[in-house]
Amino acid sequence: MRQLSEHDAAYIYSDTAHANSNVTLVHIYDQSTAPGGVVRFRQIQAHVESRLDRLAFLRQKVVQVPLNLDYPYWVEDDHFDLDHHIRHIALPKPGDWRQFCIQSARIHARPLDLGRPLWEMYVIEGLDSFLDLPAGSFAILLKIHHAAIDVENGNEITRLLHDLTPEVSPPQPTAPWFPEDPPSDLTLLWRAGFNLATWPMRLKQPIDSAWSAIKTTAQAVVREYRGEAPAFPVTRFNTEVSSQRVFETRRFSLDEFKQIRSLVADCTVHDVVLAVCAGGMRRYLELQDELPPTSLVAAVPMAVHSERAGLTSPRLSWVRVGLHTHVEDPVARLTAIHASSTAKSQARQALSARELSALAEQSPSLAIAATSKMLRSASALLGEWAPLANCAITNVPGSRESLYLQGARLTYLSAIMPVHDGMGLVFSVTGYGNTIVVSFTACAEQVPDPEVLAQCIRDSFQDYLALARQALPRRPADDKPPTKKRPPRSRAAEPASPGPAATAARGRKAARATPG
């Protein structure tokens, strides 16, 4: 038995009827590499069963302290049933990408049973109309409560499921497992009483963090009530969310991201990812005639030095970075984003020390959820929510090496993220092999046409790639003398971007068949 930290407990407390803290890892496999070219459901079930002892939370559930006098505890589930957690479904015909995204979002949106271990696995077959995937591909959705995992700093789940070679070894005999006796209410109350004695010391940091988040958000509400301009514009992504989710994704080549990086000196791939997402959001809001005249702001994880770690080891903290969506020129936008995410600009863009403590080592959506209940009445009066950022853009650990499940090669890896009131759009960025996957999770009412937003992200990337290729020096033909370098063409001479109607039509057409 172990107690949840205030950080993990906050994820439990932040769950509402219309917004939960589930994280769903999305895997797609080519089973032609498996022995015999097929992977059976029972094989997957036996594979997971043989590795249950590697992660304790897979057989642990959350037990609340009576009257909520203390943080909950993880205890072993004495009625653990693997069949309840691993399920087998198939897409209806034709089994295309759009159907898969809709089904995945529905699974993700459903809350987990707090009376059982907080995870579920869905094996999905019937992926018959994915143009860039071989026949017989299947998917695995692994839904886990955010209280049980650290998405940004670990890949324990990936190591649990996968091997580095397609060779399949017989599963090792499962070690005997005998769950601990569940604690009685009296035991939990006794522990709560003991913790109560050290309550001021234990709660100093979380109280400081919560008060910082509350004060920051409350100040934004007051500014809006007084008619003062907020630190960033409030968009359709920053209202109260519904219980329905949408999910979409686009895949890109890492090498092409590196080509785009050359447009700006010292630019990083991370900067390019931010610029591509910014360009996609700009296009999408233009289609809705809702593009603000000022820049949108994203919450992104950045490595900063931790005082608790002796100022030597970096940790991930959430900071606000301007996306410069008000800048029309793509290269100028990338240049500005790069400046915003450098070390010097980070100090200016980051939250204050007290504000940062409310977000450090947490997701921005968690901080919003922690304060949204207290601000619900004030926000209802204003008709708006006071967000900490317009969206979040986070990294999900991947692998540069090929991964296999029972011999089936992993071809796609992404994640569906939690959204909360005030932040209904979250991007997840995954690197696997030589591929970068940019996905987004959103409230279905805020983004009713996810295929259009996905196509806007693709068009934003293509704009940058075209500019990067134009900037490459041309190699003269062997039989011709080198030509003089021409000055760069004016913007008026560049190929025009497709109009809003064309972008929307391309989004609907592309989304029917492929994630890329």
Side-chain angles (χ1 to χ4, degrees):
M1 184 174 73
R2 61 186 176 89
Q3 191 170 30
L4 276 70
S5 66
E6 68 275 2
H7 173 217
D8 292 337
Y11 284 114
I12 300 292
Y13 298 147
S14 68
D15 283 350
T16 66
H18 63 279
N20 55 58
S21 297
N22 297 338
V23 176
T24 301
L25 301 178
V26 183
H27 313 81
I28 299 179
Y29 299 90
D30 172 14
Q31 63 179 338
S32 66
T33 60
V38 63
V39 177
R40 305 291 183 187
F41 173 72
R42 287 298 177 185
Q43 286 180 262
I44 298 173
Q45 194 174 39
H47 177 77
V48 174
E49 184 176 19
S50 69
R51 303 190 178 194
L52 284 174
D53 58 345
R54 299 191 183 185
L55 287 178
F57 80 86
L58 294 176
R59 287 192 282 209
Q60 292 179 337
K61 64 181 181 180
V62 171
V63 171
Q64 303 279 0
V65 176
L67 304 178
N68 283 327
L69 293 177
D70 203 352
Y71 297 135
Y73 286 84
W74 290 110
V75 301
E76 293 181 338
D77 183 8
D78 53 347
H79 298 293
F80 177 75
D81 180 6
L82 188 63
D83 289 335
H84 172 83
H85 293 274
I86 304 182
R87 305 172 184 182
H88 190 193
I89 63 176
L91 291 181
K93 299 285 185 183
D96 60 22
W97 175 252
R98 189 74 204 110
Q99 286 178 298
F100 177 73
C101 288
I102 292 172
Q103 182 64 64
S104 299
R106 287 174 179 169
I107 290 173
H108 171 79
R110 291 197 290 263
L112 289 160
D113 184 355
L114 290 178
R116 297 177 180 268
L118 298 181
W119 67 278
E120 293 173 350
M121 177 183 287
Y122 290 80
V123 180
I124 304 179
E125 296 183 328
L127 314 185
D128 300 325
S129 297
F130 288 14
L131 296 182
D132 57 345
L133 295 179
S137 293
F138 67 93
I140 286 182
L141 303 186
L142 183 56
K143 182 169 71 172
I144 311 171
H145 199 281
H146 211 323
I149 61 169
D150 186 352
V151 177
E152 293 83 14
N153 294 323
N155 58 356
E156 294 88 353
I157 302 298
T158 301
R159 291 197 298 266
L160 168 74
L161 282 178
H162 300 96
D163 298 305
L164 296 178
T165 64
E167 285 74 26
V168 178
S169 302
Q172 298 296 321
T174 304
W177 177 72
F178 302 99
E180 300 174 349
D181 292 333
S184 65
D185 288 350
L186 183 61
T187 299
L188 295 175
L189 288 172
W190 182 88
R191 284 175 172 261
F194 176 80
N195 291 334
L196 186 62
T198 58
W199 192 265
M201 291 181 293
R202 293 178 68 238
L203 289 191
K204 182 180 184 303
Q205 181 180 350
I207 286 176
D208 286 347
S209 299
W211 173 245
S212 298
I214 293 169
K215 185 177 70 172
T216 301
T217 315
Q219 288 173 346
V221 172
V222 171
R223 284 197 303 268
E224 186 174 348
Y225 179 76
R226 292 176 176 175
E228 300 175 12
F232 46 85
V234 175
T235 68
R236 61 167 51 213
F237 312 124
N238 308 122
T239 58
E240 185 175 4
V241 300
S242 71
S243 60
Q244 304 300 315
R245 301 289 173 264
V246 293
F247 164 72
E248 255 291 1
T249 186
R250 287 295 179 265
R251 295 187 292 179
F252 306 96
S253 165
L254 175 61
D255 292 336
E256 290 179 339
F257 263 93
K258 292 179 178 178
Q259 289 183 40
I260 297 172
R261 187 178 61 181
S262 64
L263 286 171
V264 176
D266 300 323
C267 186
T268 66
V269 171
H270 182 258
D271 296 332
V272 178
V273 169
L274 296 181
V276 168
C277 292
M281 294 176 68
R282 174 186 167 87
R283 282 176 174 268
Y284 183 78
L285 291 175
E286 280 184 321
L287 289 175
Q288 319 304 323
D289 197 23
E290 297 175 3
L291 181 64
T294 55
S295 173
L296 301 185
V297 171
V300 302
M302 286 190 176
V304 297
H305 289 289
S306 171
E307 295 180 1
R308 286 177 292 175
L311 295 174
T312 57
S313 62
R315 61 181 174 87
L316 291 180
S317 292
W318 289 89
V319 297
R320 292 195 294 239
V321 174
L323 296 178
H324 303 277
T325 49
H326 62 299
V327 178
E328 182 178 2
D329 181 78
V331 177
R333 189 185 315 128
L334 176 58
T335 302
I337 289 174
H338 169 63
S340 297
S341 59
T342 55
K344 289 183 179 180
S345 294
Q346 178 182 337
R348 294 194 298 268
Q349 295 285 348
L351 305 173
S352 68
R354 289 179 61 85
E355 293 173 323
L356 185 58
S357 68
L359 294 180
E361 301 173 354
Q362 301 181 34
S363 76
S365 58
L366 172 62
I368 293 170
T371 59
S372 63
K373 293 181 180 178
M374 300 181 185
L375 296 168
R376 186 177 299 277
S377 58
S379 300
L381 291 175
L382 296 173
E384 296 287 347
W385 291 87
L388 298 178
N390 293 112
C391 69
I393 304 176
T394 183
N395 300 312
V396 178
S399 173
R400 294 302 301 272
E401 300 178 280
S402 294
L403 300 176
Y404 299 86
L405 171 67
Q406 287 293 295
R409 184 173 63 87
L410 179 67
T411 60
Y412 170 91
L413 173 63
S414 187
I416 313 176
M417 305 299 291
V419 300
H420 287 282
D421 294 333
M423 189 180 293
L425 176 64
V426 177
F427 291 91
S428 61
V429 182
T430 306
Y432 174 59
N434 198 46
T435 302
I436 289 181
V437 178
V438 179
S439 306
F440 64 84
T441 311
C443 165
E445 291 184 0
Q446 296 175 7
V447 185
D449 47 1
E451 68 279 1
V452 175
L453 177 54
Q455 187 60 43
C456 288
I457 295 170
R458 167 63 68 183
D459 290 343
S460 173
F461 175 83
Q462 292 300 137
D463 283 350
Y464 277 112
L465 185 60
L467 291 170
R469 288 174 174 172
Q470 289 176 11
L472 291 175
R474 296 184 178 181
R475 180 177 299 177
D478 295 337
D479 56 345
K480 293 182 180 180
T483 58
K484 294 183 178 180
K485 185 177 181 180
R486 296 181 179 180
R489 294 185 298 173
S490 65
R491 185 169 182 83
E494 293 178 359
S497 299
T503 299
R506 289 173 57 189
R508 290 190 293 270
K509 181 178 179 181
R512 288 195 294 266
T514 172

